[in-house]
Amino acid sequence: MKLEEGVLKKDRRALARLITLVENDSDEAQEALRVLHSHTGKAHIIGITGPPGGGKSTLVDKLAKELRKRNKTVGIVAVDPTSPFTGGALLGDRIRMSELSTDSDVFIRSMGTRGALGGVARATSDVVKLLDAFGKDTIFIETVGTGQAEVDIVKIAHTTIIVTMPGLGDDIQTIKAGIMEIGDIFVVNKADRQDADKKVMEIQAMLELGQKKNSWEPPVLKTTARDGVGIPELLDLAENHYRWLLESGNLKKMSIEKSRAELFSIIEQNVEKVVVDRVDEGEIDKLCQQIANKEIDPYKAADEVLAKTGIKLKK
Ligand SMILES: Nc1nc2c(ncn2[C@@H]2O[C@H](COP(=O)(O)OP(=O)(O)O)[C@@H](O)[C@H]2O)c(=O)[nH]1
Ligand SMILES: [Mg+2]
């Protein structure tokens, strides 16, 4: 049986195997993703990001349990730059150790970012597609940090939850710089600590300063993930956001935008492959030296390279 057929039949081992192939950017994975494409698009994808230690993994763990209570199946992808690519212990062994890891309706996968062939955002996106095709109702993507890589990863999500916590004076600065505008829901976790309300007010003030993109007003919610406080409310908010996306037509728009990005990324990769295939490496080296020596400009050099591949640019 082909792996993609296994995935459609909800065989967890086929799923795990295919995920590994996706991570290794293998041709077999590409073939499977083609077949599975028409089976994707049903899952609610939730991205969770924020500074390390804020409680993201704990939140995901509790949210997943809440979803199981509501009879929904769950996929979890944790992306952690500190982990080796083959997936070490991640997502805190917190989740691995919890009852979730023995629940067959929850599939957990951790991925490192180093060495992800074809880029981690793309690998994550493909893994999410596999989980979607497998039939998971809700898929979480947990990423650490607030840089561009995280923003790219989070773009895969329908609903983005930004997690922060009281104290940590300047994490909000980092958030402001990078990801404030992509948050659909803001969570101040560790509300058992002092100054949670202060943090909520800070975020609200920043949201008021920001530009309004549409009719969704990002709520700010306090949680104490450790004790499960605020979890059902957070899940309700995430589900409201998904409903809003559906009803406002934004889900469709997002899906078309993602498709465009995906199409162009594939075209780019293919063009690069064609160039590598058809143009002698030595010639490319020579052109690079000429560009560096200012003997030729890079646009002209690119024209020359493309001309050798047979790709013609209209001028
Ligand atoms: N006091 C308190 N600690 C929490 C809470 N949620 C998580 N933690 C703890 O914070 C630490 C970091 O949590 P983790 O979920 O790994 O954070 P992540 O790095 O954002 O994924 C762990 O020791 C958790 O037990 C909370 O609501 N209150
Ligand atoms: Mg974590």
Side-chain angles (χ1 to χ4, degrees):
M1 186 167 68
K2 287 198 166 165
L3 288 174
E4 54 267 33
E5 289 165 23
V7 165
L8 293 175
K9 288 187 176 134
K10 297 196 190 296
D11 173 0
R12 288 167 63 92
R13 289 186 55 189
L15 175 63
R17 177 93 193 92
L18 207 40
I19 290 177
T20 304
L21 293 176
V22 158
E23 287 174 335
N24 295 330
D25 203 21
S26 85
D27 291 343
E28 203 181 335
Q30 207 184 81
E31 215 29 66
L33 283 163
R34 278 186 193 200
V35 175
L36 293 175
H37 176 76
S38 62
H39 298 272
T40 61
K42 293 189 273 291
H44 178 198
I45 305 163
I46 302 178
I48 301 209
T49 192
K56 296 179 297 297
S57 298
T58 314
L59 274 166
V60 169
D61 180 60
K62 296 287 161 73
L63 287 167
K65 282 180 188 140
E66 180 65 25
L67 279 160
R68 296 297 300 126
K69 274 195 219 156
R70 300 183 189 185
N71 277 321
K72 298 245 175 89
T73 58
V74 181
I76 301 172
V77 186
V79 186
D80 191 327
T82 58
S83 148
F85 189 58
T86 41
L90 266 224
L91 190 60
D93 297 284
R94 207 168 316 290
I95 285 185
R96 264 161 214 284
M97 285 184 311
S98 84
E99 314 89 82
L100 278 186
S101 54
T102 55
D103 179 341
S104 70
D105 282 315
V106 179
F107 190 95
I108 305 170
R109 182 69 170 217
S110 14
M111 330 212 306
T113 52
R114 252 174 296 163
L117 296 164
V120 69
R122 180 151 154 252
T124 306
S125 161
D126 288 346
V127 170
V128 166
K129 278 189 202 165
L130 294 177
L131 290 167
D132 187 349
F134 186 86
K136 293 303 186 195
D137 298 313
T138 306
I139 300 165
F140 292 100
I141 307 171
E142 180 193 334
T143 67
V144 195
T146 49
Q148 186 57 46
E150 288 70 39
V151 173
D152 286 346
I153 290 164
V154 159
K155 273 191 199 146
I156 301 161
H158 300 122
T159 303
T160 298
I161 302 177
I162 312 280
V163 180
T164 178
M165 62 177 179
L168 261 190
D170 51 357
D171 72 308
I172 205 77
Q173 285 307 116
T174 345
I175 286 179
K176 186 155 67 176
I179 54 177
M180 200 67 194
E181 58 275 16
I182 60 167
D184 300 306
I185 298 168
F186 289 82
V187 170
V188 176
N189 187 42
K190 307 202 185 181
D192 51 308
R193 292 196 182 171
Q194 256 181 355
D195 292 337
D197 289 318
K198 198 173 139 210
K199 196 67 157 188
V200 169
M201 272 152 51
E202 269 175 47
I203 295 173
Q204 275 165 344
M206 273 170 50
L207 286 171
E208 275 163 31
L209 286 176
Q211 295 243 324
K212 251 187 94 184
K213 291 168 296 187
N214 47 46
S215 65
W216 175 260
E217 304 214 358
V220 187
L221 179 76
K222 280 189 294 183
T223 59
T224 303
R226 192 194 55 194
D227 307 332
V229 178
I231 301 299
E233 292 80 0
L234 177 55
L235 190 55
D236 289 344
L237 283 177
E239 293 189 340
N240 285 348
H241 180 254
Y242 190 63
R243 209 167 307 125
W244 172 82
L245 282 176
L246 257 173
E247 287 165 5
S248 63
N250 276 296
L251 193 74
K252 190 83 209 166
K253 248 197 247 165
M254 263 172 117
S255 147
I256 295 171
E257 271 167 31
K258 273 193 230 168
S259 303
R260 173 181 297 271
E262 194 172 19
L263 173 66
F264 276 92
S265 135
I266 294 170
I267 291 173
E268 238 169 71
Q269 277 169 24
N270 287 350
V271 168
E272 203 173 319
K273 269 187 207 149
V274 167
V275 168
V276 171
D277 271 4
R278 299 194 192 161
V279 185
D280 185 56
E281 182 60 35
E283 275 182 67
I284 304 243
D285 278 346
K286 206 173 121 206
L287 279 171
C288 293
Q289 282 173 27
Q290 290 175 332
I291 298 169
N293 293 337
K294 319 294 175 203
E295 291 158 17
I296 185 172
D297 69 79
Y299 298 92
K300 174 128 196 337
D303 283 349
E304 280 187 20
V305 171
L306 286 178
K308 286 185 202 297
T309 64
I311 299 174
K312 287 237 161 31
L313 294 185
K314 222 161 88 188
K315 279 277 154 68

